């Protein structure tokens, strides 16, 4: 017998017997309605013991299992007993086949397992960190990165990814800002849809698509003080208008699973919040997939102070959680809670049905080994084609922050001094949450620079400094194998070597910033500056009088006021992924004209945080346009209100001029639409891509409205000397918002339309919405 013929045969015999003595459930399960797999799910459910049902809700982390040793692993016995619904953190089709065989050949009902992994921004071929990827503003390219990640991951046995993360964040102190798409709900929603469609495709039964999991539901990106896992507290009106839209967009796109967040909402942890997981997610939004906790999310509810382990496990189940990641709360307490009447069998059955349905949707009951084809492993992972695409994606995500006197692009001649602790380090290039990446196979900047520059350029290299003066901090910032080996020489010796190299050069490229693990989970920072040892290195290089290009590695917006004032050219490369060195060099030498735009505001200093473009006005706004201090106005004594770089900002090697903004009408009724058009001219010397951005302002509302809201964007390629007319269409849905009753409405009145190169767009026209 091949594939699932064997299991089908076994199950058919069991179904035909209809022996309910096998089912120790206290009640017959309710029928599953509105589910194309409902009959199959109900048939299996009717044969399951309570223990087997609870087992389907258990998601332990196995750790990696050596091929051929699955049967002796500590998880094997639980699988045989039907006490595991899925596993994560196993990598390779061969290992996953070994483990799946235990479920298929040893467990009583032969129910296949789910296999999940944090496939966040690529698999072995790694793309820029999600924050960097969002700066491409290229939805088709972003979708394709998810498709390629799914292609590689499924070729290695994995059928479920814990991605996309769609948490809105306006606080760069929070380390996980690196994993999201920035501060804007509209852009975040578009990216959420693109990622879900990329992972899941149009048919989950195909062996190159996988189940997506939108996270972290909800509001995880707004922790107090920017400290990870901390309390979140916000009004419902802010929640609905600013933080919930990307999650809802993912649900509307058909995401198969949702992960509950660590934080509390209205005083109740998300993992046990029935309003969030049932009333809002399922009943209001119509989500019909399954909900999984985050790592130990149930256990952590005890520390929140809402009950003991049995209580919080029951609360999570009845709130709407279907699968318990790692805590073992469901596995060890639900039977007792059932016996004591604290939960019902219907609560358990509802969760089991959703897990079984997902397995049917993935085609695992037809072929539990569909993702275990080792020929795919050899031919579809980390291929040249995939790496070439990753190189293109990386270069399209970089943001040119400054370029005085057209220092960039560099000439392919003369001598370049490449200096900095991140200049020749492969393992940090993929950034945080790159668990499947072969870190040492990423290409560092030194290698890329030499390759792209060619024989006409002499490249000198010096490390220049360690990552930080503080060794203890450096150890915390270089975890998970992403080391930057500490140089045994003194700081002065490192600096002297760098200055000697700089003296021989025509231009200096300084590769500075954060290490990969200075952002990401549990990597919150109160200091948003480049580490002081690197600032000292940069200042010394500037004093040489040689032109300096700062290649900035970062997983978050940084406060680089000093660098912006002194350094003639700054290229923010984020953490670009597997092909980092080549992609950065493509941009430095002009093979690629940078076109990235910031999706998160860069502050002047940490005291401005949280800072974001779509804020609301106060009753005492500044009366000047320069952000200068005015007493008894909403401002600071020591710094202007404006950020260093606004949302949507990003330069090019060419220049784009905006003119002739037009609206097709000055009035629009609720059933109509208005078109806004603008002429964009490439007035510089290079062909380039520009992200044209459209913002609106609802001038008067029943509740206060933001000063601007992004409502459209287009990334357009424009040749030098060419003018293109770009058109946007606005309908009533673009003007809606949640009012104080949480009704989603539009209100008649005046609206302003702004179009430009970033959120400081100046071209403006007005129209009136009528009923």
């Amino acid at each position: 017998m091949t594939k699932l013929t064997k299991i089908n045969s076994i199950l058919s015999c069991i179904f035909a017997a209809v022996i309910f003595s096998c089912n120790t459930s206290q009640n017959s399960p309710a029928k599953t309605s509105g589910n194309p797999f409902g009959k199959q799910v109900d048939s299996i459910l009717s044969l399951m013991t309570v223990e087997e049902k609870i087992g389907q809700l258990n998601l332990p982390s196995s750790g990696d299992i050596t091929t051929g040793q699955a049967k002796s692993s500590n998880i094997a016995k639980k699988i045989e007993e039907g006490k595991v619904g899925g596993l994560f953190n196993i990598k390779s089709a061969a290992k996953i086949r070994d483990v799946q065989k235990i479920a298929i050949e040893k467990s009583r009902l032969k129910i296949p397992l789910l296999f999940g992994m944090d496939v966040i921004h690529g698999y072995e071929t790694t793309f820029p960190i999600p924050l960097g990827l969002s700066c491409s503003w290229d939805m088709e390219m972003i979708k394709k990165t998810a498709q390629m990640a799914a292609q590689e991951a499924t070729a290695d046995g994995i059928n479920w990814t814990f991605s996309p993360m769609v948490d809105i964040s306006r606080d760069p102190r929070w380390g996980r800002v690196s994993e999201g798409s920035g501060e804007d709900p509209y852009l975040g929603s578009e990216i959420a849809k693109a990622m879900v469609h990329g992972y899941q495709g149009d048919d989950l039964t195909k062996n190159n698509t996988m189940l997506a999991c939108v996270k972290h539901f909800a509001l995880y990106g707004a922790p107090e003080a920017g400290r990870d896992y901390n309390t979140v507290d916000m009004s419902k009106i802010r929640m609905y208008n600013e933080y919930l839209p990307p999650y809802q967009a993912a649900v509307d796109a058909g995401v198969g699973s949702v992960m509950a967040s660590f934080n509390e909402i209205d005083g109740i942890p998300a993992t046990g919040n029935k309003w969030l997981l049932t009333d809002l997610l399922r009943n209001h939004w119509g989500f019909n997939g399954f909900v999984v906790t985050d790592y130990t999310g149930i256990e952590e509810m005890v520390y929140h102070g809402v009950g003991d382990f049995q209580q919080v496990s029951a609360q999570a189940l009845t709130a709407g959680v279907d699968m318990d990641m790692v805590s073992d709360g469901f596995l060890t307490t639900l039977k007792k809670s059932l016996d004591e009447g604290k939960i019902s069998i219907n609560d358990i059955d509802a969760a089991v049905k959703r897990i079984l349905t997902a397995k049917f949707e993935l085609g695992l009951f037809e072929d539990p080994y569909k993702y275990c084809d080792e020929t795919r492993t050899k031919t579809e992972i980390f291929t040249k084609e995939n790496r070439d695409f990753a190189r293109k994606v990386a270069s399209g995500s970089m943001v040119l922050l400054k370029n005085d006197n057209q220092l960039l692009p560099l000439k392919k001649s003369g001598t370049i001094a490449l200096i900095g602790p991140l200049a020749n380090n492969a393992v940090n290039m993929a950034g945080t949450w790159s668990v499947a990446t072969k870190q040492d196979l990423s290409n560092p900047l030194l290698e890329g620079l030499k390759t792209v520059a060619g024989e006409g350029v002499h490249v000198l290299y010096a490390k220049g400094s360690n990552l930080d003066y503080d060794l203890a901090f450096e150890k915390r910032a270089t975890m998970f194998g992403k080391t930057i080996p500490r140089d045994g020489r003194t700081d002065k010796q490192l600096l002297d070597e760098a200055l000697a190299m700089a003296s021989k050069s025509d231009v200096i490229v300084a590769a500075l910033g954060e290490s990969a693990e200075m952002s990401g989970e549990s990597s919150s920072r109160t200091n948003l500056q480049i580490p002081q040892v690197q600032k000292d290195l940069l200042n010394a290089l500037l004093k040489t009088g040689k032109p300096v290009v700062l290649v900035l590695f970062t997983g978050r917006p940084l406060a680089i006021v000093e660098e912006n004032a002194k350094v003639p050219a700054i290229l923010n490369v984020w953490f670009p992924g597997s092909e980092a060195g080549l992609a950065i060099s493509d941009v430095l030498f002009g093979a690629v004209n940078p076109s990235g735009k910031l999706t998160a505001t860069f502050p002047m200093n940490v005291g401005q945080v949280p800072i974001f473009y779509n804020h609301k006005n106060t009753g005492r706004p500044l009366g000047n346009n320069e952000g200068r201090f005015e007493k008894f106005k909403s401002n600071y004594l020591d710094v202007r209100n404006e950020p260093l770089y606004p949302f949507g900002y990003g330069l090019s090697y060419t220049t784009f001029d905006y003119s002739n903004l037009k609206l097709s009408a000055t009035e629009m009724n609720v059933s109509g639409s208005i078109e806004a058009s603008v002429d964009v001219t490439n007035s510089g010397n290079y062909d380039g891509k520009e992200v044209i951005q459209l913002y609106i302002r609802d001038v008067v509302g029943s509740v206060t409205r933001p000063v601007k809201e992004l409502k459209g964007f287009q990334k357009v390629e424009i040749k030098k000397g060419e003018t293109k007319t770009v058109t946007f269409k606005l309908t009533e849905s673009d003007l809606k918002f949640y009012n104080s009753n949480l009704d989603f409405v539009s209100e008649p009145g005046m609206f302003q339309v702004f179009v430009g190169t970033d959120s400081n767009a100046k071209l403006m026209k007005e129209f009136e919405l009528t009923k």
Side-chain angles (χ1 to χ4, degrees):
M1 295 185 180
T2 59
K3 296 185 178 178
L4 203 59
T5 307
K6 183 175 181 180
I7 182 175
N8 285 336
S9 175
I10 294 169
L11 285 175
S12 295
C13 292
I14 297 173
F15 295 160
V18 196
I19 302 173
F20 285 93
S21 60
C22 292
N23 178 21
T24 62
S25 303
Q26 298 169 349
N27 301 295
S28 296
K31 295 298 178 184
T32 304
S33 59
N35 180 346
F37 301 104
K39 289 184 178 180
Q40 296 100 310
V41 168
D42 286 335
S43 295
I44 296 173
L45 195 69
S46 70
L47 299 165
M48 299 175 75
T49 66
V50 169
E51 289 78 11
E52 286 169 332
K53 290 177 180 180
I54 293 172
Q56 284 299 302
L57 314 184
N58 185 34
L59 180 68
S61 173
S62 64
D64 205 6
I65 294 176
T66 304
T67 306
Q69 293 185 357
K71 293 179 181 178
S72 62
S73 68
N74 60 3
I75 206 75
K77 183 173 176 59
K78 284 185 178 180
I79 297 173
E80 288 183 27
E81 295 172 347
K83 293 182 178 178
V84 177
L87 290 172
F88 69 104
N89 283 348
I90 302 180
K91 186 175 185 288
S92 99
K95 295 175 186 178
I96 287 173
R97 176 181 285 275
D98 275 357
V99 178
Q100 189 74 285
K101 283 180 70 175
I102 300 172
I104 300 306
E105 297 182 4
K106 298 290 186 180
S107 70
R108 188 177 74 89
L109 290 180
K110 325 299 180 189
I111 298 173
L113 301 172
L114 293 171
F115 290 92
M117 179 172 274
D118 285 289
V119 182
I120 305 300
H121 50 110
Y123 188 63
E124 286 192 11
T125 303
T126 308
F127 303 106
I129 58 171
L131 182 60
L133 186 60
S134 71
C135 292
S136 71
W137 296 61
D138 188 329
M139 297 306 105
E140 191 57 38
M141 187 170 74
I142 289 172
K143 177 182 175 181
K144 189 174 177 182
T145 66
Q147 286 175 325
M148 189 170 289
Q151 183 87 22
E152 289 198 355
T154 57
D156 221 13
I158 297 156
N159 51 45
W160 182 24
T161 175
F162 304 121
S163 175
M165 191 193 103
V166 303
D167 301 312
I168 295 297
S169 180
R170 282 86 179 267
D171 191 336
R173 293 174 298 178
W174 187 54
R176 299 193 81 168
V177 69
S178 61
E179 291 179 59
S181 298
E183 69 190 45
D184 183 70
Y186 179 86
L187 179 61
S189 296
E190 294 300 303
I191 293 174
K193 291 186 288 187
M195 294 292 286
V196 170
H197 289 148
Y199 288 130
Q200 297 189 168
D202 56 7
D203 184 359
L204 273 174
T205 64
K206 294 179 179 177
N207 69 354
N208 64 348
T209 62
M210 66 195 309
L211 199 69
C213 182
V214 68
K215 64 184 189 184
H216 307 82
F217 193 60
L219 319 183
Y220 185 43
E224 290 184 358
R227 196 174 75 241
D228 211 354
Y229 319 122
N230 204 8
T231 298
V232 173
D233 191 11
M234 69 172 64
S235 67
K236 283 286 203 318
I237 198 167
R238 166 163 277 188
M239 187 188 303
Y240 274 72
N241 281 312
E242 301 174 34
Y243 283 82
L244 291 180
Y247 306 111
Q248 186 173 8
V251 170
D252 291 344
V255 72
S257 62
V258 168
M259 182 181 289
S261 57
F262 287 123
N263 54 279
E264 65 176 56
I265 294 168
D266 284 342
I268 301 173
T271 305
N273 195 310
K274 188 172 184 179
W275 171 82
L276 180 73
L277 302 180
T278 296
D279 297 344
L280 178 64
L281 179 63
R282 296 196 185 281
N283 298 340
H284 187 56
W285 289 357
F287 174 66
N288 56 14
F290 70 90
V291 174
V292 62
T293 74
D294 206 336
Y295 198 101
T296 66
I298 288 177
E299 181 181 352
E300 292 174 28
M301 290 172 66
V302 176
Y303 296 98
H304 278 281
V306 295
D308 63 25
F309 196 37
Q310 182 183 348
Q311 287 175 310
V312 298
S313 298
Q315 180 178 338
L317 180 72
T318 56
V321 168
D322 302 305
M323 188 169 261
D324 171 9
M325 182 188 288
V326 177
S327 287
D328 275 354
F330 284 179
L331 192 67
T332 59
T333 73
L334 286 191
K335 179 63 165 61
K336 183 180 180 184
S337 292
L338 179 64
D339 293 340
E340 295 173 352
K342 294 176 180 176
I343 61 171
S344 72
I345 192 63
N346 288 332
D347 294 326
I348 294 173
D349 287 349
V352 177
K353 288 176 184 180
R354 289 191 276 260
I355 302 301
L356 293 178
T357 297
K359 293 179 178 183
F360 272 108
E361 289 174 339
L362 285 166
L364 291 174
F365 278 99
E366 181 180 349
D367 179 4
Y369 307 114
K370 61 176 284 193
Y371 298 100
C372 300
D373 181 354
E374 292 180 58
T375 61
R376 288 188 61 204
T377 304
K378 297 172 183 176
T379 59
E380 297 181 21
I381 300 176
F382 208 58
T383 64
K384 184 181 184 305
E385 177 186 4
N386 292 1
R387 295 187 72 169
D388 287 347
F389 180 61
R391 179 176 177 176
K392 177 182 177 182
V393 173
S395 63
S397 301
M398 295 172 189
V399 183
L400 183 63
L401 298 176
K402 187 178 179 184
N403 194 25
D404 283 357
N405 301 317
Q406 293 291 296
L407 176 55
L408 293 174
L410 300 174
K411 297 180 177 63
K412 287 190 176 181
S413 61
T415 299
I416 295 174
L418 176 61
I419 296 170
L422 291 157
N424 189 30
N425 184 280
V427 297
N428 275 263
M429 293 299 97
T432 189
W433 277 121
S434 48
V435 297
T437 303
K438 293 181 177 178
Q439 310 285 356
D440 57 335
L441 295 183
S442 298
N443 51 70
L445 181 51
L446 178 60
E447 177 186 321
L449 204 64
K450 289 180 177 179
T451 301
V452 174
E455 296 181 358
V457 177
H458 185 207
V459 179
L460 305 174
Y461 162 71
K463 185 177 180 183
S465 75
N466 290 303
L467 179 71
D468 196 271
Y469 282 126
D470 184 348
L471 175 59
F473 175 85
E474 188 169 300
K475 287 181 177 179
R476 295 195 297 272
T478 54
M479 301 174 71
F480 308 121
K482 295 170 187 173
T483 57
I484 301 176
R486 188 102 175 160
D487 199 293
R489 291 171 290 175
T490 66
D491 294 322
K492 184 178 185 305
Q493 287 172 326
L494 287 168
L495 181 58
D496 287 345
E497 180 189 45
L499 293 176
M501 295 295 180
S503 69
K504 302 173 185 176
S505 70
D506 299 303
V507 62
I508 301 167
V509 174
L512 309 176
E514 294 188 312
S515 59
E517 293 304 322
M518 282 174 71
S519 61
E521 186 169 355
S522 191
S523 294
S524 298
R525 293 184 66 193
T526 61
N527 181 349
L528 297 180
Q529 296 186 351
I530 293 171
Q532 188 61 49
V533 67
Q534 297 182 55
K535 290 172 72 74
D536 293 342
L537 169 63
L538 181 61
N539 285 329
L541 295 174
L542 289 165
K543 288 178 182 177
T544 66
K546 300 292 178 74
V548 176
V549 176
L550 171 58
V551 173
L552 181 64
F553 291 87
T554 180
R556 55 161 52 85
L558 292 177
I560 54 170
V561 172
E562 183 181 0
E563 291 77 12
N564 181 67
K566 295 180 178 179
V567 183
I570 305 174
L571 179 67
N572 188 350
V573 300
W574 307 107
F575 289 98
S578 301
E579 305 307 296
L582 292 169
I584 296 168
S585 301
D586 286 341
V587 175
L588 289 176
F589 287 108
V592 174
N593 189 347
S595 60
K597 300 277 190 174
L598 296 179
T599 58
T601 301
F602 273 50
M604 291 277 194
N605 59 40
V606 73
Q608 289 183 313
V609 171
I611 185 169
F612 47 97
Y613 86 92
N614 50 347
H615 60 86
K616 295 186 178 184
N617 244 334
T618 78
R620 293 190 177 190
L622 278 177
N624 63 76
N625 295 323
E626 295 82 28
R628 293 187 304 232
F629 174 76
E630 291 183 18
K631 195 65 175 176
F632 306 118
K633 298 294 185 178
S634 181
N635 50 202
Y636 302 100
L637 283 170
D638 56 346
V639 70
R640 291 165 51 154
N641 283 5
E642 291 87 359
L644 180 60
Y645 306 119
F647 175 85
Y649 174 85
L651 303 176
S652 169
Y653 293 154
T654 192
T655 52
F656 296 99
D657 298 332
Y658 286 68
S659 63
N660 202 25
L661 174 62
K662 295 179 180 178
L663 298 183
S664 59
T666 57
E667 287 188 2
M668 182 185 94
N669 63 40
V670 292
S671 60
S673 63
I674 275 184
E675 288 191 347
S677 63
V678 67
D679 292 341
V680 184
T681 300
N682 184 338
S683 56
N685 298 319
Y686 299 88
D687 298 344
K689 295 178 181 178
E690 170 73 338
V691 180
I692 297 98
Q693 302 161 44
L694 180 144
Y695 299 83
I696 67 165
R697 182 179 184 186
D698 188 348
V699 179
V700 176
S702 60
V703 296
T704 56
R705 305 292 295 123
V707 295
K708 278 179 184 171
E709 296 177 277
L710 181 71
K711 290 296 178 180
F713 60 89
Q714 294 183 41
K715 191 164 190 174
V716 180
E717 186 166 7
I718 308 176
K719 297 186 180 300
K720 62 179 180 180
E722 181 183 16
T723 297
K724 284 190 175 180
T725 300
V726 178
T727 301
F728 298 90
K729 184 178 181 180
L730 290 171
T731 65
E732 185 205 12
S733 63
D734 296 306
L735 311 180
K736 285 186 171 183
F737 63 96
Y738 288 93
N739 64 18
S740 57
N741 295 321
L742 299 183
D743 298 320
F744 195 49
V745 300
S746 65
E747 295 178 346
M750 192 64 65
F751 287 81
Q752 295 174 335
V753 177
F754 302 85
V755 177
T757 188
D758 58 42
S759 57
N760 284 337
K762 302 300 183 186
L763 291 179
M764 189 271 286
K765 294 288 184 181
E766 294 182 327
F767 72 90
E768 185 176 5
L769 177 67
T770 61
K771 289 295 185 183

